[in-house]
Amino acid sequence: MALGTDKQTNEALQAQEAAERQRIAAERPELFAALTKRNQEFMNKFMHELTALGYDGDLDRKENEILHTLVEEQKKGVTAKQLYGTPTAYAHQLHGNPDDSANGIEGATSPFWQYWVEGGLLIGGVFAGISGLTLLLGSNGAASGPAGIITLLLNFVVGGAAMAILTTNQPDMSKPKKERGTMRYIMISVAVLLVWILLISVTEFLPDAVNPELPVFGYLALAILALAARWWFKREYKVTKTLF
């Protein structure tokens, strides 16, 4: 009786596996056709690399998982490169760790706008906190007073953009030393920081009526809200590879 039950169980599992394989095979053309041209190029290169490496995992199932992820994420403007990096690098990563999930892998990157929002909340919150502490501690002898409203807004917007640019242009340490783009990153960093400092400096010449200061607790409340919002945003959208 037990042998008969085991046989039925094995047959059921085999039927289930066969149905799963049929589903994966049937879905592939439709999912691939739904990808953008760049994502299709990514998948072609990725599958070629993974096959050449002799991937130990379930190649068809992994491809199906990634195709589903790409179709969903590209609706939000997220590309395969932002999710997984380069096809070669991700193929090598999976070859070494065949059980890694296709969703939310470590090392994935986030869209530019998410870095902008995350960076703006961070920089704006920090500068608001510094201004509040300057007033709270009565640092009258400081080189500059607390930031005005316009200065604060620019720190949120321009500071966030600067952080996003720096984050998305970080050197690729997985590549050979000459191909990492370190010098390019340094040049971009200098240019971005100069523009940021210049714009913030200009606001210091605005009259108080245009660029008024906030009360001390206004600065502190803004700092707390901005940093709390940054924590929530980063967690909610799973923003990865940030500078801080």
Side-chain angles (χ1 to χ4, degrees), residues 73-94:
E73 292 299 322
Q74 71 183 18
K75 296 175 184 177
K76 308 172 189 176
V78 182
T79 66
K81 186 176 181 180
Q82 290 172 327
L83 281 170
Y84 305 116
T86 65
T88 301
Y90 187 46
H92 279 271
Q93 179 182 338
L94 280 187

Side-chain angles (χ1 to χ4, degrees), residues 118 229-239 242 244:
E118 184 273 336
R230 184 246 182 183
W231 173 84
W232 173 86
F233 182 85
K234 190 173 180 180
R235 180 180 179 184
E236 179 70 15
Y237 287 89
K238 297 179 176 61
V239 185
T242 57
F244 302 100

